[in-house]
């Protein structure tokens, strides 16, 4: 079985889960680049997988684990089809993820980044929309123009698992979005810079191409790369930020303004309230203020 055909069959299983498909496609595209479309699946070895994973050696542990999971999922599928005898990922191990207590970006720095006209309109719209909707960048990149409701400032996204839901944005995004669309009524909202390939295994689905320009959908890896580079100019540490930090920052800033956990759940579409603990943990200053405001004896003392 040629690897290019096997990858196409594997990805075709996720037609109803576009987010998962995009995530797996990113990893498997690099596997194909490393080996070639005609490489036999049966010839995949631990050495091949290790060489592919070297691409993400310097990336965060969560990024490494994401790509390793994609390779393992593909290997398991190939084994079920009897194209592959043993798992070529067996020597690779997941990395321990160390989590920072607070990944929120200060509002003042975000406003400077959003207003920096050195960056393209497409990027500034995506960044603002991600922050204002508290949505996942992967979901927003999959938005099509017909899914937008400009009058009510909302868009219908496909969530993990295939369900659909609306995300809502604020005035800054509402002002910029018509300029980005420039009258388009079809195709993806966020377009790549180049025309999509017309032949080969990397030809995108028809829905991922704008019929008026022939340009394909902007990919998550490219969007992440552009944001990382741009945000380095505004990050005092010079490291840059991630697109996921925009979602985190939006929720954290809403919590700081006093929004309740159920309100944050409605905004973020988290399935369980318990998962919002990271965003509503506001720190020692908030703890001190809440304690003081709840201190009945302290209030009585102020009335004297």
């Amino acid at each position: 079985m040629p690897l290019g055909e096997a990858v196409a069959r594997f990805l075709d299983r996720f037609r109803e889960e576009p987010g998962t498909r995009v995530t797996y496609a990113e990893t498997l595209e690099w596997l194909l680049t490393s080996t070639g479309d005609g490489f036999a699946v049966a010839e995949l070895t631990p050495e091949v997988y290790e060489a592919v994973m070297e691409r993400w050696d310097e990336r965060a542990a969560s990024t490494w684990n994401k790509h390793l999971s994609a390779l393992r999922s593909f290997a398991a599928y190939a084994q079920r089809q009897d194209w592959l005898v043993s798992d070529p990922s067996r020597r690779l191990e997941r990395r321990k993820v160390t989590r920072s207590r607070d990944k929120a970006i200060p509002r003042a720095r975000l406003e400077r980044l959003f207003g920096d006209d050195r960056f393209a309109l497409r990027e500034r719209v995506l960044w603002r929309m991600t922050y204002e909707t508290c949505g996942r960048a992967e979901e927003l990149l999959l938005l099509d123009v017909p899914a937008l409701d400009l009058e009510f400032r909302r868009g219908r996204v496909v969530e993990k698992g295939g369900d659909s839901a609306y995300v809502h944005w604020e005035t800054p995004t509402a002002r910029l979005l018509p300029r980005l669309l420039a009258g388009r009524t079809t195709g993806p909202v966020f377009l790549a810079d180049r025309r999509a390939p017309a032949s080969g295994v990397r030809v995108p689905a028809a829905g991922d191409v704008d019929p008026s320009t022939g340009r394909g959908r902007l990919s998550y890896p490219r969007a992440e790369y552009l944001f990382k580079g741009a945000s380095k100019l505004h990050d005092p540490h010079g490291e840059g930020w991630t697109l996921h930090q925009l979602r985190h920052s939006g929720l954290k800033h809403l919590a700081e303004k006093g929004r309740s956990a159920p309100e944050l759940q409605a905004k973020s579409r988290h399935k369980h309230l318990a998962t919002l603990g990271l965003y509503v943990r506001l720190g020692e200053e908030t703890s001190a203020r809440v304690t003081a405001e709840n201190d009945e004896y302290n209030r009585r003392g102020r009335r004297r």
Side-chain angles (χ1 to χ4, degrees), residues 67-245:
H67 293 293
L68 178 57
S69 293
L71 289 176
R72 283 179 170 169
S73 182
F74 173 71
Y77 169 76
Q79 286 180 287
R80 292 196 299 272
Q81 308 306 313
D82 293 327
W83 301 333
L84 191 60
V85 175
S86 60
D87 181 6
S89 70
R90 58 185 179 273
R91 297 180 188 170
L92 296 165
E93 297 182 359
R94 291 177 61 84
R95 294 181 175 178
K96 182 179 179 181
V97 178
T98 57
R99 301 189 181 278
S100 170
R101 285 179 62 84
D102 188 2
K103 298 180 181 179
I105 305 164
R107 281 191 293 270
R109 291 197 177 116
L110 282 178
E111 286 301 326
R112 288 197 291 270
L113 173 64
F114 295 157
D116 194 334
D117 58 11
R118 288 176 293 177
F119 308 120
L121 176 64
R122 178 190 66 187
E123 274 64 67
R124 288 186 286 129
V125 173
L126 175 62
W127 302 342
R128 274 200 176 275
M129 183 182 284
T130 305
Y131 175 72
E132 293 175 3
T133 62
C134 299
R136 299 177 180 87
E138 300 96 323
E139 297 172 344
L140 300 179
L141 287 168
L142 292 172
L143 271 174
D144 294 322
V145 178
L148 301 178
D149 184 345
L150 299 182
E151 180 182 1
F152 290 95
R153 299 182 178 182
R154 64 180 185 172
R156 189 175 63 252
V157 299
V158 178
E159 301 179 305
K160 292 180 179 179
D163 294 337
S164 63
Y166 279 106
V167 294
H168 300 80
W169 52 80
E170 300 171 12
T171 299
T173 295
R175 289 173 175 169
L176 292 173
L177 197 50
R179 290 174 50 195
L180 177 67
L181 299 178
R184 289 192 297 117
T185 58
T186 59
V189 173
F190 300 100
L191 297 175
D193 297 317
R194 299 178 180 179
R195 292 177 61 89
S199 60
V201 297
R202 294 178 178 82
V203 175
D208 289 330
V209 179
D210 173 37
S212 61
T213 64
R215 291 158 60 192
R217 189 184 303 277
L218 177 65
S219 70
Y220 182 87
R222 178 62 177 167
E224 179 83 318
Y225 171 81
L226 292 172
F227 181 66
K228 190 79 170 179
S231 59
K232 285 181 180 180
L233 302 178
H234 293 271
D235 180 4
H237 305 294
E239 298 176 355
W241 303 309
T242 66
L243 288 172
H244 184 70
Q245 281 181 270

Side-chain angles (χ1 to χ4, degrees), residues 1-8 32 36-42 74 83:
M1 170 61 64
L3 185 59
E5 184 177 344
V7 167
L32 290 172
D37 296 348
F39 190 86
V41 176
F74 173 71
W83 301 333

